[in-house]
Amino acid sequence: GQNIDQPTEMTATEGAIVQINCTYQTSGFNGLFWYQQHAGEAPTFLSYNVLDGLEEKGRFSSFLSRSKGYSYLLLKELQMKDSASYLCAVMDSNYQLIWGAGTKLIIKP
Amino acid sequence: ETGVTQTPRHLVMGMTNKKSLKCEQHLGHNAMYWYKQSAKKPLELMFVYSLEERVENNSVPSRFSPECPNSSHLFLHLHTLQPEDSALYLCASSLTSGGADTQYFGPGTRLTVL
């Protein structure tokens, strides 16, 4: 079967760095997406990785290793507004997104 | 961001009611999706439409009935729902359904079935 695993909840301190991991097993691979979802709001697109390596976009970076079935989202200089759920999703061979359950990130002052 | 809008934002209905959820996208996309999001569970894909044709129906009960009159509008008609259908229903759109295109989401409808 297809499976995406990510931690349920993480806590970090304002100004610090946090890494949210995602491992996957899917039927085929056409890229990995990260979304941010604030409570009661729409998931918003953060990043897309299809090749191995690190993609940096401001305070957020996303890493992919296809051979290990592994990705992480790195958030630097954490701000209170970064408190949200972070969703990992893999696009399978049929171009359907397979979703993880999300990681709730709590930022403390 | 008002690329994808959904109405209503909140809905409470009894098990014998009939209601409809509406989604509209202003992004010029050709594919639209309905997802169900339950607490602490992964998003569940319900339906996919491409150019107004249904291309995916992931074993969704018949009490959920989608309608796509054009590429900008998507409806989800609800009837005789069960309490376990209470969830956040998200609509999304993407340029196409057959490529690695980013999906853009609406804010969702929070549905409570009594």
Side-chain angles (χ1 to χ4, degrees):
Chain A
Q2 308 201 89
N3 193 52
I4 310 287
D5 285 317
Q6 50 180 132
T8 303
E9 187 174 298
M10 299 182 70
T11 302
T13 305
E14 190 177 16
I17 299 173
V18 71
Q19 177 175 311
I20 302 174
N21 295 324
C22 172
T23 57
Y24 62 89
Q25 290 178 308
T26 56
S27 303
F29 180 83
N30 279 303
L32 186 144
F33 293 80
W34 284 98
Y35 282 80
Q36 179 191 61
Q37 186 178 24
H38 286 100
E41 298 184 13
T44 55
F45 169 73
L46 288 178
S47 67
Y48 171 70
N49 294 69
V50 67
L51 300 176
D52 290 352
L54 186 69
E55 296 275 345
E56 296 185 74
K57 195 184 291 185
R59 295 189 298 114
F60 292 9
S61 302
S62 56
F63 172 83
L64 175 67
S65 169
R66 288 172 297 171
S67 62
K68 296 182 179 178
Y70 167 70
S71 172
Y72 67 73
L73 181 69
L74 190 72
L75 291 73
K76 302 177 184 176
E77 301 168 15
L78 286 170
Q79 302 175 10
M80 297 303 293
K81 67 179 182 179
D82 298 329
S83 291
S85 288
Y86 291 85
L87 311 179
C88 174
V90 172
M91 189 160 275
D92 69 8
S93 56
N94 294 319
Y95 294 99
Q96 277 198 17
L97 282 176
I98 311 301
W99 294 83
T103 299
K104 182 177 181 180
L105 178 63
I106 299 168
I107 309 297
K108 295 186 174 179
Chain B
E1 176 63 54
T2 57
V4 182
T5 58
Q6 290 186 242
T7 54
R9 292 294 309 275
H10 300 272
L11 179 62
V12 178
M13 58 187 290
M15 289 191 285
T16 57
N17 292 158
K18 290 185 180 181
K19 297 286 184 184
S20 295
L21 310 184
K22 179 182 176 182
C23 175
E24 185 173 358
Q25 60 97 358
H26 308 273
L27 300 170
H29 290 166
N30 292 318
M32 296 187 76
Y33 309 78
W34 280 116
Y35 285 93
K36 177 183 180 182
Q37 187 176 34
S38 303
K40 300 183 180 180
K41 289 186 177 179
L43 268 70
E44 299 173 46
L45 179 64
M46 301 175 72
F47 301 103
V48 181
Y49 276 82
S50 177
L51 296 170
E52 301 125 55
E53 295 291 324
R54 190 190 307 181
V55 296
E56 192 70 41
N57 174 355
N58 278 2
S59 302
V60 178
S62 59
R63 57 186 184 268
F64 295 91
S65 175
E67 178 190 359
C68 188
N70 55 63
S71 59
S72 298
H73 293 86
L74 186 65
F75 295 89
L76 189 63
H77 304 299
L78 317 172
H79 63 98
T80 58
L81 293 191
Q82 304 298 312
E84 59 264 29
D85 297 322
S86 298
L88 182 68
Y89 288 84
L90 291 165
C91 174
S93 71
S94 64
L95 189 59
T96 69
S97 65
D101 298 320
T102 300
Q103 293 182 18
Y104 295 88
F105 286 82
T109 295
R110 173 67 63 184
L111 174 66
T112 303
V113 182
L114 301 177

